Amino acid sequence: MSKAKVIFDTDAGTDDAWALITLLRCEEKYNIELKAITVVSGNTNVKHGCQNILLILKTMNRLDIPVYAGAADSLLFHSYFKHGHYHGMDGLKDVFRPEEKPSLDLVQKKHAIEGLRALIEENPNEITIFAVGPLTNIALLYKMYPEISTKIKNLYIMGGNHQGIGNSSRTAEFNFHFDPESARIVLDESKCSVLILPWEPCLKACFATPHKEWRFKVLNSINNEIIEFMDKIEIDVQFRKSFCPCDAYLVCCFIFPKMIKKVSEFNVNIELSGEFTRGQMVLDHKLLMKPNATIIEEFDVEMFKKILLWVCGHEIDI
Amino acid sequence: MSKAKVIFDTDAGTDDAWALITLLRCEEKYNIELKAITVVSGNTNVKHGCQNILLILKTMNRLDIPVYAGAADSLLFHSYFKHGHYHGMDGLKDVFRPEEKPSLDLVQKKHAIEGLRALIEENPNEITIFAVGPLTNIALLYKMYPEISTKIKNLYIMGGNHQGIGNSSRTAEFNFHFDPESARIVLDESKCSVLILPWEPCLKACFATPHKEWRFKVLNSINNEIIEFMDKIEIDVQFRKSFCPCDAYLVCCFIFPKMIKKVSEFNVNIELSGEFTRGQMVLDHKLLMKPNATIIEEFDVEMFKKILLWVCGHEIDI
Amino acid sequence: MSKAKVIFDTDAGTDDAWALITLLRCEEKYNIELKAITVVSGNTNVKHGCQNILLILKTMNRLDIPVYAGAADSLLFHSYFKHGHYHGMDGLKDVFRPEEKPSLDLVQKKHAIEGLRALIEENPNEITIFAVGPLTNIALLYKMYPEISTKIKNLYIMGGNHQGIGNSSRTAEFNFHFDPESARIVLDESKCSVLILPWEPCLKACFATPHKEWRFKVLNSINNEIIEFMDKIEIDVQFRKSFCPCDAYLVCCFIFPKMIKKVSEFNVNIELSGEFTRGQMVLDHKLLMKPNATIIEEFDVEMFKKILLWVCGHEIDI
Amino acid sequence: MSKAKVIFDTDAGTDDAWALITLLRCEEKYNIELKAITVVSGNTNVKHGCQNILLILKTMNRLDIPVYAGAADSLLFHSYFKHGHYHGMDGLKDVFRPEEKPSLDLVQKKHAIEGLRALIEENPNEITIFAVGPLTNIALLYKMYPEISTKIKNLYIMGGNHQGIGNSSRTAEFNFHFDPESARIVLDESKCSVLILPWEPCLKACFATPHKEWRFKVLNSINNEIIEFMDKIEIDVQFRKSFCPCDAYLVCCFIFPKMIKKVSEFNVNIELSGEFTRGQMVLDHKLLMKPNATIIEEFDVEMFKKILLWVCGHEIDI
Ligand SMILES: [Ca+2]
Ligand SMILES: [Ca+2]
Ligand SMILES: [Ca+2]
Ligand SMILES: [Ca+2]
């Protein structure tokens, strides 16, 4: 059976790290081939993002996977963002010394957009892209090569919201709020199948169980380099109310489709010009237009926890 | 015990009719005094609205209640509305012959805004206003007399939404969408307590039970002038999927507070300038601002049905 | 010959003072009857505005003219304005002691909107309104009484711009920028003739000649109570580059139509939602719609100077 | 003396043709080197645009100049545009038979953005770009390679407006209106010198003299392949009121700087979200920000006419 070919497009925050580690751990057993990682500005800038990804790959002994640098900023500049420093100055909580970080020379010379294009052209209708940061890279890819999305198999997006609940502004989720124009372009122009995991089911999962306690007690009851690495970069999660590995939820929904409990299909778009609603994902509740996306409304948190235990090395059946 | 003094501000559609009939039926038993009815443009124009209200009052033998004509249109003119004719040309399904309708001479000479002002000044901190149409009258009242809202006891609003689900556009509810600027003014400038019944819990109620079947089988198992009147103006409900007496839900939540199952407090505002989201109610999900409204998230549909049975003359304990 | 009946709707700044003094001085000789003054929020708040107007009337011995208080704020509240204090806290440079100011008891009890309505109804098709502040009063009048503008003879507006040159923001003039929604309502719904003096010809006039020097040398070469009063409230003009009595330009264009050098007719509207352009007057340059306003593009500054000399008591032929 | 290296970024309409022919005719005498032509969507789609450019190059015997295909559409899709067909379906009035048109195989294989990047990197601080169509190519170049504009010598833009006069909407000029987001990006992020020829001085030039009569009488009093070619594609100009070779005005302002009569420096930006003003160029009239562009306010039409006569082969001193 042929492998599922995937590309991981990421802004290299801590939940991106969980997602990437999950992908790498599952590659062999679940017949996946991670073809490349493309980095985009968001949680941190694109240079730090590349470094963080290389650091994860080094930890996982997988520096063989090609890493490409992508868009250095959102399409439009907005005064309300100057790179989220939500995850520290370097997007990984600033816990690594410069000498611990792999050299940026390991980053591919080609631009991420050219890298994406080449891989898609070489593997037509075979590639699934995980877009777990702002959608700038995907939008630029579409604007440079308008027909390319006909050759993408699936686009899995973590971003947006379906009930107007925001985490970056009143009504907008971070990834879409950081670059609303790119989100608009991707939702308007994708000719491939698009699946979206919005913020609300993630939010519900984070608070459904004492998720944070589980993270540090149950998950940490084993010790290895994954736990050690994630403990370092999630040091502040101990002082917060929740543990929210959104990007990893999405990756698990792909590898273990049973984890998805409820989906709906809608025509969705992005508000660009609202005073309060810029960046909000807007659903065609009146059902006047053809659906362009499948929305994950609910997923199985207990199953996710089992997967993550296995990813971290616990002996457990998923 | 003193009576609860109320004013009914309405755009005179069929659910407004249910709400008004409920108020009139409950007045004596539940210690309510309906001081006046003010009419606003919305479901129909203000002239037809006045006529419809007079028709209901005539049916209920209550032409003693003063009726005032208010705003003839939303603050700003918008091409997408030219009076909703959702409830027929006259807002009551066009089922009455002209000669059946009471004369417009019965309408007060004073403008509704002056009528509201006088009643509030005469009964400071005693009046509850039900605003069950677009908020144009209330907004004009505030702009004419900026301190008046300090003398209103409660403002009960049917309108807006709290999860971005629209019935008039993708993301906006009719009453707020018809005049977003007025909704903004009222939410920004009310100095009295504000309670909002948004669209989502109404939507849920309408589909929770086979509401429409209940309307025509159970509710209609008695015969009197209320049933006869409402059957006339709800003739088309028989051919629709749901029965949605939103304005009556709100009135019942006031008279029978136990009917309210879940509320939340939020700072809410109205989006004015979005391409898709104009008229959407926006909640401060990040909890950065002081709440300015209480939102009814859920109410007891079974209790509502009992109330409506009693209102229609069934012998039943509420 | 019957007199021209006028109402002066004002936000009571220093150029409003020049305009009002000009009107009062010209009343007899040029067959004008000032029926009332209505005050609106803008350069200062409405309470200070009323006081300032009473002060001018007292100086001119004309406390017989009725003064009405109007809208206390723009339709929508905007964070970027909290009453322009461009003309001092009281709109007249704070140069008068409280005891010098006439009592607010002299203000009419009726709201300005009701006052305007009554005067227009009593003098149908005879009244010219000068609107030389934000258009809130006129907008509220139209929304309360939709048919009233059919009975106004002329509406003369100082406000807006026709080449995108702003004085309050990049592209908006103060009077329109202070309350764009009211400007929209007035331009959309006026059924009477509308004449607009926008900012650009005023700007040009202010810099066409060493206007400021003329103000303090030539105009001040006579001494009387007008000069004394205006010197007090224009004390800071001495330190500025220009002298810009915009509202008086408009009044003179009415009394001396020859002063108008160039007009054009356009369909004009107001931008409400632009990031940069909120409040900008927008002309239908593609000429797709019927004109709704006459725009004064150029006027004779030399003639204006002669008029002002005469107004101030110089013996000069206009 | 070294040659001025230029790139011509064009949407291949008829005024683009005049501009390109002028550049080619002036190359040798005025020491210019046209390095490449990049085509963008606008007056016609990018495929027709390339074909049109090849046709001009064939006519001028200059198929040696590399032609690159660029962006196929504006960044965001807007319902009000589906490629301007102002200049016919193929942007050149549909007057050439398919067999007359050179093969698209002559178009470079590299994307225009990669072509632009390579040429700029190879000639740092030496290249002047003429952007005479929508700014999509330049915007994509900046977003792909954020530092590239530090190596551009000059950016000459035909587009936008400085007095709010529109030709594509009430207040917007076609090139900026077709892709306002790209115009925003270019004006926000250019680190090189930017010169803009807006619509208003062009409009004035077109009507300053009986320009159209001059075009067909004086200019056509000679006969050669340039006149023959331009007559074909400007066949409809005969039936219009004006002759408006805007893009050629800009190119001439570059080659003959004396043609420029008045410039001003402003901080300029683009309105994106206005109801009426989307795409309008907005000047910082309050002079609060550092200028980012030089605007040509007026140029010498008589000098332009001499230049065009010479370009067309008339014996005349410029
Ligand atoms: Ca991420
Ligand atoms: Ca209603
Ligand atoms: Ca004024
Ligand atoms: Ca062009």
Side-chain angles (χ1 to χ4, degrees):
Chain A
M1 185 189 144
S2 71
K3 294 187 175 222
K5 295 173 182 170
V6 305
I7 295 176
F8 189 67
D9 184 61
T10 175
D11 62 342
T14 58
D15 61 328
D16 303 68
W18 277 119
L20 178 53
I21 289 169
T22 300
L23 263 183
L24 293 172
R25 283 277 293 150
C26 291
E27 254 197 318
E28 198 175 303
K29 182 162 179 189
Y30 295 97
N31 225 14
I32 292 163
E33 185 186 355
L34 178 54
K35 303 287 286 183
I37 299 169
T38 53
V39 180
V40 70
S41 173
N43 277 321
T44 189
N45 71 34
V46 75
K47 198 187 131 200
H48 287 141
C50 288
Q51 216 151 31
N52 297 344
I53 292 300
L54 292 171
L55 202 53
I56 298 167
L57 293 179
K58 188 183 149 201
T59 303
M60 301 297 286
N61 262 320
R62 291 299 307 276
L63 283 170
D64 60 296
I65 296 172
V67 175
Y68 294 86
D73 220 328
S74 53
L75 284 190
L76 301 185
F77 171 79
H78 293 292
S79 49
Y80 52 85
F81 277 123
K82 204 53 206 148
H83 291 302
H85 288 140
Y86 186 68
H87 300 274
M89 283 300 290
D90 68 359
L92 285 182
K93 305 292 156 50
D94 310 316
V95 291
F96 295 94
R97 294 187 309 277
E99 65 271 23
E100 289 181 276
K101 297 183 182 176
S103 160
L104 281 173
D105 293 348
L106 295 169
V107 174
Q108 302 295 310
K109 295 295 157 275
K110 243 187 206 171
H111 194 291
I113 273 65
E114 302 296 348
L116 279 162
R117 186 205 178 199
L119 286 164
I120 296 164
E121 293 287 359
E122 288 159 17
N123 302 275
N125 305 312
E126 287 193 275
I127 302 245
T128 293
I129 300 178
F130 295 104
V132 296
L135 291 168
T136 323
N137 281 349
I138 313 301
L140 283 176
L141 176 68
Y142 286 10
K143 298 318 297 188
M144 288 282 286
Y145 303 105
E147 291 308 312
I148 197 82
S149 76
T150 58
K151 297 181 185 166
I152 297 172
K153 186 174 179 189
N154 289 301
L155 179 60
Y156 272 63
I157 295 171
M158 194 282 126
N161 47 16
H162 72 125
Q163 295 177 327
I165 302 183
N167 59 17
S168 172
S169 73
R170 286 190 162 210
T171 67
E173 178 275 341
F174 176 81
N175 282 347
F176 279 26
H177 194 219
F178 189 86
D179 191 352
E181 278 73 19
S182 285
R184 163 78 68 98
I185 290 167
V186 171
L187 293 176
D188 258 16
E189 303 185 16
S190 286
K191 289 159 193 159
C192 58
S193 134
V194 172
L195 186 137
I196 297 174
L197 175 62
W199 169 238
E200 289 89 345
C202 298
L203 176 67
K204 203 174 150 197
C206 303
F207 286 90
T209 53
H211 221 40
K212 187 197 81 173
E213 284 66 27
W214 175 86
R215 159 74 179 86
F216 288 100
K217 287 182 187 154
V218 184
L219 199 63
N220 272 20
S221 62
I222 199 169
N223 198 4
N224 56 28
E225 66 286 342
I226 292 176
I227 292 295
E228 198 184 330
F229 179 84
M230 290 308 303
D231 271 5
K232 267 194 189 172
I233 67 175
E234 291 200 317
I235 191 161
D236 63 342
V237 173
Q238 305 196 40
F239 308 105
R240 288 162 63 198
K241 282 191 196 139
S242 63
F243 164 57
C244 238
C246 304
D247 297 346
Y249 295 149
L250 179 71
V251 162
C252 291
C253 284
F254 172 78
I255 309 176
F256 307 92
K258 272 196 213 163
M259 200 178 112
I260 301 174
K261 300 284 276 271
K262 189 179 170 197
V263 296
S264 59
E265 294 206 328
F266 270 102
N267 185 282
V268 302
N269 211 318
I270 301 301
E271 177 62 61
L272 297 180
S273 64
E275 178 183 350
F276 296 113
T277 55
R278 180 167 161 78
Q280 181 183 329
M281 190 162 94
V282 169
L283 277 60
D284 175 28
H285 286 294
K286 302 192 79 184
L287 305 178
L288 303 175
M289 295 176 72
K290 212 171 143 252
N292 61 352
T294 301
I295 296 166
I296 300 179
E297 294 199 3
E298 203 185 329
F299 58 81
D300 184 341
V301 198
E302 295 309 314
M303 188 172 175
F304 172 77
K305 281 152 74 177
K306 279 192 197 169
I307 299 167
L308 209 59
L309 284 167
W310 179 86
V311 162
C312 289
H314 292 255
E315 287 185 15
I316 185 171
D317 288 335
I318 301 176
Chain B
M1 185 187 144
S2 72
K3 293 185 176 225
K5 295 172 182 171
V6 306
I7 295 176
F8 189 68
D9 184 62
T10 175
D11 62 341
T14 57
D15 60 329
D16 304 69
W18 276 120
L20 178 52
I21 290 168
T22 300
L23 262 183
L24 293 172
R25 283 277 295 150
C26 292
E27 253 197 319
E28 198 175 303
K29 182 161 178 192
Y30 295 97
N31 226 13
I32 291 163
E33 185 185 355
L34 178 54
K35 302 288 287 184
I37 298 169
T38 53
V39 181
V40 71
S41 173
N43 277 322
T44 189
N45 71 34
V46 76
K47 197 187 132 201
H48 286 142
C50 289
Q51 216 152 30
N52 297 345
I53 292 300
L54 292 170
L55 202 53
I56 298 168
L57 292 178
K58 188 183 150 203
T59 304
M60 302 297 286
N61 262 321
R62 291 299 305 276
L63 281 170
D64 60 296
I65 295 173
V67 175
Y68 295 86
D73 219 327
S74 54
L75 285 191
L76 301 186
F77 170 79
H78 292 291
S79 50
Y80 53 85
F81 276 122
K82 205 53 208 149
H83 291 303
H85 288 140
Y86 185 69
H87 300 272
M89 282 300 289
D90 68 359
L92 285 182
K93 305 292 154 51
D94 310 316
V95 290
F96 295 93
R97 295 186 308 275
E99 64 272 23
E100 289 181 275
K101 297 184 182 177
S103 160
L104 280 173
D105 293 348
L106 294 169
V107 174
Q108 301 295 309
K109 294 295 157 274
K110 242 188 208 171
H111 194 290
I113 272 65
E114 301 296 348
L116 279 162
R117 186 204 179 199
L119 285 165
I120 295 164
E121 291 287 0
E122 289 158 17
N123 302 276
N125 305 312
E126 287 193 274
I127 302 245
T128 292
I129 300 176
F130 295 104
V132 296
L135 291 168
T136 323
N137 281 349
I138 313 300
L140 283 175
L141 176 69
Y142 286 10
K143 298 317 298 188
M144 288 284 284
Y145 304 105
E147 291 307 312
I148 198 81
S149 76
T150 59
K151 297 181 184 166
I152 297 172
K153 187 174 178 189
N154 289 301
L155 179 60
Y156 272 63
I157 296 170
M158 194 282 125
N161 47 14
H162 71 125
Q163 295 176 326
I165 302 183
N167 59 17
S168 172
S169 73
R170 286 191 162 207
T171 68
E173 178 275 341
F174 176 81
N175 282 347
F176 280 26
H177 194 219
F178 189 85
D179 191 352
E181 279 72 19
S182 285
R184 162 78 68 99
I185 289 167
V186 172
L187 293 175
D188 257 16
E189 303 184 16
S190 286
K191 290 159 192 159
C192 59
S193 133
V194 173
L195 187 138
I196 297 172
L197 175 63
W199 169 238
E200 289 88 346
C202 297
L203 176 67
K204 204 175 150 195
C206 302
F207 288 91
T209 53
H211 221 39
K212 188 198 80 173
E213 283 66 26
W214 175 86
R215 159 74 179 86
F216 288 99
K217 287 184 187 153
V218 185
L219 199 62
N220 273 20
S221 62
I222 200 170
N223 199 4
N224 56 28
E225 66 286 344
I226 291 176
I227 291 295
E228 198 183 330
F229 179 84
M230 289 308 303
D231 271 5
K232 267 195 187 173
I233 67 173
E234 291 201 315
I235 192 162
D236 63 342
V237 174
Q238 304 195 42
F239 309 104
R240 288 162 62 198
K241 282 193 195 138
S242 64
F243 164 57
C244 237
C246 303
D247 297 346
Y249 295 149
L250 179 71
V251 162
C252 291
C253 285
F254 171 79
I255 309 176
F256 308 91
K258 270 195 212 163
M259 201 179 111
I260 301 174
K261 300 284 276 271
K262 189 180 170 196
V263 296
S264 60
E265 295 206 326
F266 271 102
N267 186 283
V268 302
N269 211 319
I270 301 301
E271 178 61 62
L272 297 179
S273 63
E275 178 183 351
F276 296 112
T277 55
R278 181 168 161 77
Q280 180 183 329
M281 190 162 94
V282 169
L283 278 60
D284 175 28
H285 286 294
K286 302 192 78 184
L287 305 178
L288 302 175
M289 295 176 72
K290 215 171 142 254
N292 62 351
T294 300
I295 295 165
I296 300 178
E297 294 198 2
E298 201 185 332
F299 58 82
D300 183 340
V301 198
E302 294 310 314
M303 187 169 176
F304 172 76
K305 281 151 75 176
K306 280 191 196 169
I307 299 167
L308 209 59
L309 284 167
W310 179 85
V311 162
C312 288
H314 291 256
E315 288 185 16
I316 184 170
D317 287 335
I318 300 176
Chain C
M1 186 190 143
S2 72
K3 294 185 175 223
K5 295 173 183 171
V6 306
I7 296 177
F8 189 68
D9 184 62
T10 175
D11 62 341
T14 57
D15 61 328
D16 303 69
W18 277 119
L20 178 54
I21 290 169
T22 300
L23 263 182
L24 293 171
R25 285 277 294 149
C26 291
E27 253 196 319
E28 199 174 304
K29 182 161 179 191
Y30 295 96
N31 225 15
I32 292 163
E33 185 186 354
L34 178 54
K35 303 287 285 183
I37 298 169
T38 53
V39 181
V40 70
S41 172
N43 277 322
T44 189
N45 71 33
V46 76
K47 198 186 130 200
H48 287 142
C50 288
Q51 217 151 30
N52 297 344
I53 291 301
L54 291 171
L55 202 52
I56 298 168
L57 293 178
K58 188 182 150 203
T59 303
M60 302 297 286
N61 262 320
R62 289 301 305 277
L63 283 169
D64 60 295
I65 296 173
V67 175
Y68 295 85
D73 220 327
S74 53
L75 284 190
L76 302 186
F77 170 79
H78 293 292
S79 50
Y80 52 85
F81 277 124
K82 206 51 208 154
H83 290 302
H85 288 141
Y86 185 68
H87 300 272
M89 282 300 290
D90 68 0
L92 285 182
K93 306 291 156 50
D94 310 316
V95 290
F96 296 94
R97 294 187 309 277
E99 64 271 23
E100 290 181 275
K101 298 184 180 175
S103 160
L104 280 173
D105 293 348
L106 295 170
V107 174
Q108 302 295 311
K109 294 295 157 276
K110 242 188 208 170
H111 194 290
I113 272 64
E114 302 295 348
L116 279 162
R117 184 202 180 201
L119 286 164
I120 296 163
E121 292 287 359
E122 288 157 18
N123 302 275
N125 304 313
E126 288 193 275
I127 302 245
T128 292
I129 300 177
F130 294 105
V132 295
L135 290 168
T136 324
N137 281 350
I138 313 301
L140 283 175
L141 176 68
Y142 286 10
K143 298 318 297 188
M144 288 283 285
Y145 303 106
E147 291 307 312
I148 197 82
S149 77
T150 58
K151 297 181 185 166
I152 297 172
K153 187 174 178 189
N154 289 301
L155 178 60
Y156 272 63
I157 296 170
M158 194 281 126
N161 48 14
H162 71 126
Q163 296 177 326
I165 301 184
N167 59 17
S168 172
S169 73
R170 286 190 163 210
T171 67
E173 178 275 341
F174 176 81
N175 282 347
F176 280 26
H177 194 219
F178 189 86
D179 191 352
E181 278 73 19
S182 285
R184 163 78 67 99
I185 289 166
V186 171
L187 293 175
D188 257 16
E189 303 184 16
S190 286
K191 289 159 192 159
C192 58
S193 135
V194 173
L195 186 137
I196 297 173
L197 175 62
W199 169 238
E200 288 88 346
C202 298
L203 175 68
K204 204 173 149 197
C206 303
F207 287 89
T209 54
H211 220 39
K212 188 197 80 174
E213 283 66 27
W214 175 86
R215 160 73 180 86
F216 288 100
K217 287 183 186 153
V218 184
L219 199 63
N220 273 19
S221 62
I222 199 170
N223 199 4
N224 57 27
E225 66 286 346
I226 292 177
I227 293 294
E228 197 184 330
F229 179 84
M230 290 307 303
D231 272 5
K232 266 194 188 172
I233 67 174
E234 290 201 318
I235 191 162
D236 63 342
V237 173
Q238 305 196 41
F239 308 105
R240 288 161 62 197
K241 282 191 197 140
S242 64
F243 164 58
C244 238
C246 304
D247 298 346
Y249 295 149
L250 178 71
V251 162
C252 291
C253 284
F254 171 78
I255 309 176
F256 308 92
K258 272 196 212 163
M259 200 178 112
I260 301 174
K261 300 284 276 270
K262 189 180 170 197
V263 297
S264 59
E265 295 206 324
F266 271 101
N267 185 283
V268 302
N269 210 318
I270 302 301
E271 178 61 60
L272 298 180
S273 64
E275 177 183 351
F276 296 113
T277 55
R278 180 167 161 78
Q280 180 183 330
M281 190 162 94
V282 169
L283 277 61
D284 175 27
H285 286 293
K286 302 192 78 184
L287 305 178
L288 302 175
M289 296 177 71
K290 212 170 144 256
N292 61 352
T294 301
I295 295 166
I296 300 179
E297 295 199 2
E298 202 183 331
F299 59 81
D300 184 341
V301 198
E302 294 310 313
M303 188 171 175
F304 172 77
K305 281 152 75 175
K306 278 191 197 170
I307 300 167
L308 209 60
L309 284 167
W310 179 86
V311 162
C312 289
H314 292 256
E315 288 185 16
I316 185 171
D317 287 336
I318 302 174
Chain D
M1 186 188 143
S2 72
K3 293 184 175 225
K5 295 173 183 170
V6 306
I7 295 176
F8 189 68
D9 184 62
T10 176
D11 62 341
T14 57
D15 61 329
D16 303 68
W18 276 119
L20 178 53
I21 289 168
T22 300
L23 263 182
L24 293 172
R25 283 277 294 148
C26 291
E27 253 196 319
E28 197 175 304
K29 182 161 178 193
Y30 295 97
N31 225 14
I32 292 162
E33 185 187 354
L34 178 55
K35 303 287 285 184
I37 298 169
T38 52
V39 180
V40 70
S41 172
N43 277 321
T44 189
N45 71 33
V46 75
K47 197 186 132 201
H48 286 141
C50 287
Q51 215 151 31
N52 297 344
I53 291 300
L54 291 171
L55 202 52
I56 299 167
L57 292 179
K58 187 182 150 204
T59 303
M60 301 296 285
N61 261 321
R62 291 300 305 276
L63 281 170
D64 60 296
I65 296 173
V67 175
Y68 295 86
D73 219 328
S74 54
L75 285 191
L76 301 185
F77 170 79
H78 292 292
S79 49
Y80 52 86
F81 276 123
K82 205 56 206 146
H83 291 301
H85 288 139
Y86 187 68
H87 299 273
M89 282 301 289
D90 68 359
L92 285 182
K93 306 292 155 51
D94 310 317
V95 290
F96 295 93
R97 294 186 309 277
E99 64 272 23
E100 289 181 276
K101 297 184 182 175
S103 160
L104 280 173
D105 294 347
L106 294 170
V107 174
Q108 301 295 311
K109 294 295 157 276
K110 243 188 207 171
H111 194 289
I113 272 65
E114 302 295 349
L116 279 162
R117 185 203 179 200
L119 285 165
I120 296 164
E121 292 287 0
E122 288 158 18
N123 302 276
N125 304 312
E126 287 193 274
I127 302 244
T128 292
I129 300 176
F130 295 105
V132 296
L135 290 168
T136 323
N137 281 348
I138 314 300
L140 284 175
L141 176 69
Y142 286 10
K143 299 317 297 189
M144 288 282 285
Y145 303 105
E147 292 307 312
I148 197 82
S149 76
T150 59
K151 297 181 186 165
I152 297 172
K153 186 174 179 190
N154 288 301
L155 179 61
Y156 272 64
I157 296 170
M158 194 282 127
N161 47 15
H162 72 126
Q163 295 177 326
I165 302 183
N167 59 17
S168 172
S169 73
R170 285 191 163 209
T171 68
E173 178 276 340
F174 176 82
N175 282 347
F176 280 27
H177 194 219
F178 189 86
D179 191 352
E181 279 72 19
S182 285
R184 162 78 66 99
I185 290 167
V186 171
L187 292 175
D188 258 15
E189 303 185 16
S190 285
K191 290 159 192 158
C192 58
S193 134
V194 172
L195 187 137
I196 297 173
L197 175 63
W199 169 238
E200 288 89 346
C202 298
L203 175 66
K204 204 174 149 197
C206 303
F207 287 90
T209 54
H211 222 40
K212 187 197 80 174
E213 284 66 26
W214 175 86
R215 159 74 178 86
F216 288 99
K217 288 183 186 152
V218 185
L219 200 62
N220 273 19
S221 62
I222 200 171
N223 200 3
N224 56 27
E225 67 285 344
I226 292 177
I227 292 295
E228 197 184 330
F229 179 84
M230 290 307 303
D231 271 6
K232 266 194 188 173
I233 68 174
E234 291 201 316
I235 191 161
D236 63 341
V237 174
Q238 304 196 41
F239 309 105
R240 288 162 62 198
K241 282 191 197 140
S242 63
F243 164 57
C244 238
C246 303
D247 297 346
Y249 295 149
L250 178 71
V251 161
C252 291
C253 284
F254 171 78
I255 310 177
F256 307 92
K258 271 196 214 163
M259 201 179 112
I260 301 174
K261 299 284 276 273
K262 189 180 170 197
V263 296
S264 59
E265 295 205 327
F266 271 102
N267 185 283
V268 303
N269 211 319
I270 301 302
E271 178 61 61
L272 297 180
S273 63
E275 178 183 351
F276 296 112
T277 55
R278 181 167 161 77
Q280 181 183 328
M281 190 163 94
V282 169
L283 277 60
D284 175 28
H285 286 292
K286 303 192 79 185
L287 305 179
L288 302 175
M289 295 176 71
K290 212 170 145 256
N292 62 351
T294 300
I295 296 165
I296 299 179
E297 294 198 3
E298 202 184 331
F299 59 83
D300 184 341
V301 198
E302 294 310 314
M303 187 170 175
F304 172 77
K305 281 151 74 177
K306 280 192 197 169
I307 299 167
L308 209 59
L309 284 168
W310 180 85
V311 162
C312 288
H314 291 256
E315 287 185 17
I316 184 171
D317 287 335
I318 301 176

